[in-house]
Amino acid sequence: MAVQRKKRREHKPRKKQEKWAGTNRGSITARIYLDTMTAAIIANFAYAIGTIVDGIISGSFLGVNAVAAMRLTSPALMVYSLIGSCVSSGCRNRCAHKLGEGDVEGANRMLALAVWFTMGIDILMALLSVIFRGPLAVILGASGQNAHLAPLVMDYLLGYCICMPLANLNRTLVSLLQMDGDNRRSIWSASAMTVADIIGDLLAVLVFSGGMFGLGLATSIGHLICTLVVLPHFFNKKYTLHLGFRMADFGDLLEMLRRGTMSGVKRFSSLVRDFAINRILTAYVSSTVLAAYALQGQMSSLASAFMIGASDTVCVLSGIFYGEEDKKALADLQQVALRIGGLVNLVLGVVMFTVAVPITTLYLGRKNPEAIPYGVVSVRCYAISILLQIFYYLALNYLNGIAQIAKVNTMMVLRDVIILIPVTWCMVMVMGGRGALIAPIVCLLIVLVFSLIYIMRRPEKTVRERLLMLPAGFGVGAEKDFDMSVDSEEDVQMLSRIAMVFCVENGVSEERGKVLSLAIEEMAGNIVKYGFSDGKKHNLQIRMLIKEEDVILRIRDDCRPFNPKEQYELMRKENEDFSGIGIRIVMGMVKDFQYISTFNTNNLIIRI
């Protein structure tokens, strides 16, 4: 690029200049991804533990009928969570895009819309479920030879529905905590809910003899505790996302729901898949193979915390970078996710493959020796599939983050319904029971091969551009987009001079070039001088681009939180004439100045 040629003429030696160009480009992305993924894994583990303990307590203290009744309520609970999942996914996606664009007010309107809509629908569903819980129990299967389960189903639904609307509210709010830089609270909320649920279950069955109503009420109280932990975040002014009930804009409702259809399609395709495969297995294989196949579902429950943690983080980050129209950041995210997420799940797969025998023995028991060989094969097949699944889920959530909703939904239906069902049937016909255990691996391979063929047939010139899967016309040309990582005041001064050349060679006036140069010197210089002074390793990424009539400067750092816009307003109120003079000058010369805190990073968006 011409800017780089000019830079070589003005700055020597060449080796040092080459070191500056893009140093640690992916470091800040890797740090954000690792921190967020770790928090998500821990939180999802806490949720999984609560679900497992619920089943253990009901079976151990209330008997087989209680377990059967809880099983019958699962379709109702799935319907309750369906709307919440769609809303939380769509809200998170839209908020990420809004924040990437620098539209904080738009993100907060989206949050308010999600909360109002979710609470309204869920309160109505809870009331109807309580009023008509008798007919609902019959619909769920508590009739005929299972009629004796109806009172248990009704009691559980009554206890659960008391705070059911809070469950979906929590889904929406917790999904935004990590984006807003509060990883700890997401862990605390999941842990507090799980602990409250377990304690409530034990009190219900051991102290108050609350039966199924007590179990449902304990779950409700757990949701209430989670809400009490999460809600203060969204009324704390130090965070970006705030809950203002007057800010909702219902004009965005349909788009939010469209962005969240991934959750609905996923649940629907999973239901069709499970129903069809269960019919195939019950028709053609023995109960021993059926029990072994069920082990893959158990392994999925254990592995989901890692899968969800790795892939959901990609969804949020890709949404932010998509809103910023930053192709390089999206490419970095792909590499980081494959490296870190792939490694974590590879280790998980190796461990699961290694301990397949004791896992199978634990679940199937020593009293069923004929099922152990099939069980071991089942666990090891699932362990092998983990590495393929992480590619699949990373791709799925990346596409969701960049608003390729149709591709996401197509991939899920393709995998779960169109490919997996006939592949399972064919392999059962050819190989018997073992064919059913291997079929998911074959299905994933077919999906990945089809996906690669589609990617390689895209019109972009390079493989890297094809993998980004971006729509035509996305972002600006390479000649109008320049970014660099800096770690010293010398770097800042050098980039300040490059900014002048960048503007001149893109036809921007000298006056605006000087303003861009000054903004880099003052804002980035302050970050290096004060933000890097704590002795810790930090990253500072500077990007300048020309979009339409605007020259845009984006600065991202992972130093301690500092809002220069807030500082500027404070100095104005206190009439401090000499404090922060650099910030004052920049604020007075630019068209727009935005500060956003996301993922524990400071983000400045300056338009000139």
Side-chain angles (χ1 to χ4, degrees):
M1 195 170 82
V3 173
Q4 293 174 319
R5 291 196 295 271
K6 180 75 174 177
K7 181 173 66 171
R8 287 198 289 268
R9 290 195 294 270
E10 293 186 356
H11 302 285
K12 297 179 181 180
R14 182 173 177 177
K15 288 184 178 179
K16 191 169 187 178
Q17 170 262 317
E18 288 175 346
K19 166 188 170 289
W20 278 326
T23 301
N24 294 328
R25 168 65 197 171
S27 296
I28 195 165
T29 303
R31 199 275 299 164
I32 294 171
Y33 181 82
L34 184 59
D35 289 352
T36 309
M37 182 189 73
T38 303
I41 288 173
I42 295 172
N44 280 293
F45 253 132
Y47 288 129
I49 290 170
T51 302
I52 292 170
V53 172
D54 266 357
I56 293 174
I57 290 176
S58 62
S60 300
F61 295 99
L62 299 180
V64 174
N65 285 340
V67 176
M70 288 190 68
R71 175 65 182 175
L72 289 181
T73 63
S74 60
L77 303 188
M78 184 175 293
V79 172
Y80 295 153
S81 67
L82 179 60
I83 293 176
S85 297
C86 291
V87 171
S88 65
S89 178
C91 176
R92 181 182 62 182
N93 189 293
R94 292 292 287 151
C95 283
H97 288 183
K98 294 288 186 182
L99 292 178
E101 295 167 357
D103 186 2
V104 175
E105 184 178 346
N108 282 315
R109 284 199 305 269
M110 191 61 58
L111 169 61
L113 170 63
V115 169
W116 272 111
F117 180 75
T118 301
M119 291 298 291
I121 293 294
D122 287 345
I123 288 173
L124 179 61
M125 290 178 63
L127 288 174
L128 291 174
S129 297
V130 170
I131 295 170
F132 299 105
R133 61 186 183 277
L136 181 57
V138 174
I139 293 172
L140 292 172
S143 60
Q145 63 179 0
N146 292 319
H148 63 287
L149 298 177
L152 300 179
V153 172
M154 292 167 60
D155 286 348
Y156 186 81
L157 289 174
L158 179 61
Y160 182 85
C161 286
I162 290 175
C163 291
M164 184 269 282
L166 295 181
N168 283 333
L169 175 65
N170 292 337
R171 284 187 180 90
T172 300
L173 297 182
V174 171
S175 71
L176 299 174
L177 286 177
Q178 294 165 342
M179 186 192 306
D180 212 16
D182 202 352
N183 286 333
R184 290 183 178 180
R185 195 181 296 266
S186 66
I187 297 173
W188 294 340
S189 62
S191 302
M193 185 180 80
T194 299
V195 170
D197 188 16
I198 293 172
I199 292 174
D201 285 344
L202 292 173
L203 289 174
V205 299
L206 297 178
V207 178
F208 299 110
S209 300
M212 292 298 289
F213 172 79
L215 291 184
L217 182 61
T219 302
S220 276
I221 293 173
H223 292 314
L224 175 62
I225 297 297
C226 180
T227 303
L228 294 176
V229 173
V230 171
L231 207 55
H233 170 98
F234 296 94
F235 292 98
N236 189 330
K237 292 184 178 180
K238 79 173 186 177
Y239 293 109
T240 299
L241 297 175
H242 302 118
L243 194 53
F245 294 106
R246 295 179 182 177
M247 300 170 64
D249 182 0
F250 282 86
D252 288 328
L253 179 59
L254 290 179
E255 181 60 19
M256 182 182 70
L257 293 176
R258 188 184 76 85
R259 296 288 184 95
T261 55
M262 173 181 171
S263 296
V265 173
K266 181 179 179 181
R267 289 174 183 271
F268 173 76
S269 60
S270 297
L271 283 172
V272 174
R273 174 200 66 198
D274 291 345
F275 175 78
I277 290 179
N278 284 344
R279 293 294 298 269
I280 293 170
L281 296 181
T282 53
Y284 296 106
V285 303
S286 66
S287 59
T288 299
V289 176
L290 193 60
Y293 188 85
L295 267 178
Q296 294 196 357
Q298 299 290 338
M299 296 304 99
S300 178
S301 299
L302 293 173
S304 63
F306 294 91
M307 296 285 185
I308 294 172
S311 57
D312 273 12
T313 304
V314 168
C315 183
V316 181
L317 282 174
S318 60
I320 293 280
F321 297 150
Y322 184 81
E324 294 176 356
E325 296 188 351
D326 193 341
K327 294 180 183 179
K328 294 178 182 177
L330 287 169
D332 288 336
L333 175 62
Q334 287 185 344
Q335 294 177 8
V336 166
L338 285 172
R339 186 173 70 248
I340 298 177
L343 178 61
V344 168
N345 283 276
L346 173 63
V347 172
L348 175 64
V350 170
V351 171
M352 192 176 289
F353 189 93
T354 304
V355 299
V357 174
I359 286 177
T360 304
T361 304
L362 177 66
Y363 274 93
L364 299 183
R366 297 182 182 278
K367 294 182 179 180
N368 302 293
E370 71 283 355
I372 298 299
Y374 282 105
V376 172
V377 172
S378 181
V379 172
R380 286 181 171 166
C381 284
Y382 185 81
I384 293 170
S385 76
I386 284 177
L387 191 56
L388 298 175
Q389 286 189 69
I390 192 60
F391 287 118
Y392 170 78
Y393 283 113
L394 288 177
L396 213 60
N397 281 272
Y398 170 79
L399 289 172
N400 196 40
I402 64 171
Q404 300 290 321
I405 309 301
K407 290 184 177 65
V408 171
N409 294 337
T410 300
M411 282 184 67
M412 287 189 293
V413 174
L414 187 69
R415 179 212 174 187
D416 289 339
V417 180
I418 297 176
I419 296 179
L420 182 57
I421 294 173
V423 164
T424 301
W425 183 83
C426 291
M427 295 193 69
V428 167
M429 293 297 98
V430 174
M431 300 177 61
R434 291 181 185 268
L437 307 179
I438 301 171
I441 298 176
V442 176
C443 173
L444 281 167
L445 286 172
I446 293 172
V447 171
L448 292 175
V449 168
F450 277 145
S451 301
L452 286 174
I453 293 172
Y454 174 80
I455 290 170
M456 297 311 295
R457 291 176 62 86
R458 285 179 63 86
E460 292 87 355
K461 293 181 180 180
T462 66
V463 174
R464 180 170 178 169
E465 289 176 329
R466 291 171 188 159
L467 287 170
L468 290 178
M469 301 285 286
L470 296 170
F474 177 83
V476 298
E479 72 282 356
K480 295 185 177 183
D481 192 343
F482 184 89
D483 73 274
M484 212 172 114
S485 294
V486 301
D487 54 20
S488 69
E489 292 188 50
E490 182 186 11
D491 293 356
V492 173
Q493 293 297 322
M494 179 189 122
L495 188 56
S496 173
R497 291 189 286 273
I498 292 174
M500 288 293 299
V501 181
F502 176 76
C503 287
V504 169
E505 296 201 352
N506 281 284
V508 177
S509 67
E510 183 179 352
E511 180 182 354
R512 295 171 77 190
K514 288 179 179 179
V515 175
L516 175 62
S517 179
L518 176 65
I520 291 172
E521 283 187 32
E522 293 296 335
M523 307 315 299
N526 280 342
I527 294 170
V528 171
K529 185 175 181 180
Y530 299 107
F532 285 25
S533 62
D534 58 5
K536 299 178 182 178
K537 180 175 176 57
H538 292 291
N539 299 283
L540 171 59
Q541 189 71 35
I542 301 175
R543 180 187 178 211
M544 46 191 176
L545 64 152
I546 299 172
K547 183 180 179 184
E548 298 174 352
E549 299 299 320
D550 287 338
V551 177
I552 303 172
L553 173 65
R554 286 183 174 269
I555 301 175
R556 176 179 286 126
D557 71 82
D558 57 1
C559 304
R560 63 180 179 272
F562 176 72
N563 184 347
K565 190 174 183 179
E566 191 177 82
Q567 185 70 18
Y568 170 75
E569 296 296 335
L570 181 64
M571 289 185 296
R572 275 207 317 175
K573 290 179 181 178
E574 296 179 355
N575 294 317
E576 296 183 13
D577 295 329
F578 302 104
S579 177
I581 188 69
I583 295 176
R584 292 183 178 208
I585 293 173
V586 172
M587 293 279 287
M589 298 178 72
V590 301
K591 182 191 296 187
D592 185 52
F593 189 107
Q594 290 288 334
Y595 170 83
I596 300 175
S597 174
T598 57
F599 295 103
N600 289 315
T601 64
N602 300 297
N603 299 269
L604 295 179
I605 307 171
I606 302 172
R607 295 179 183 272
I608 300 167

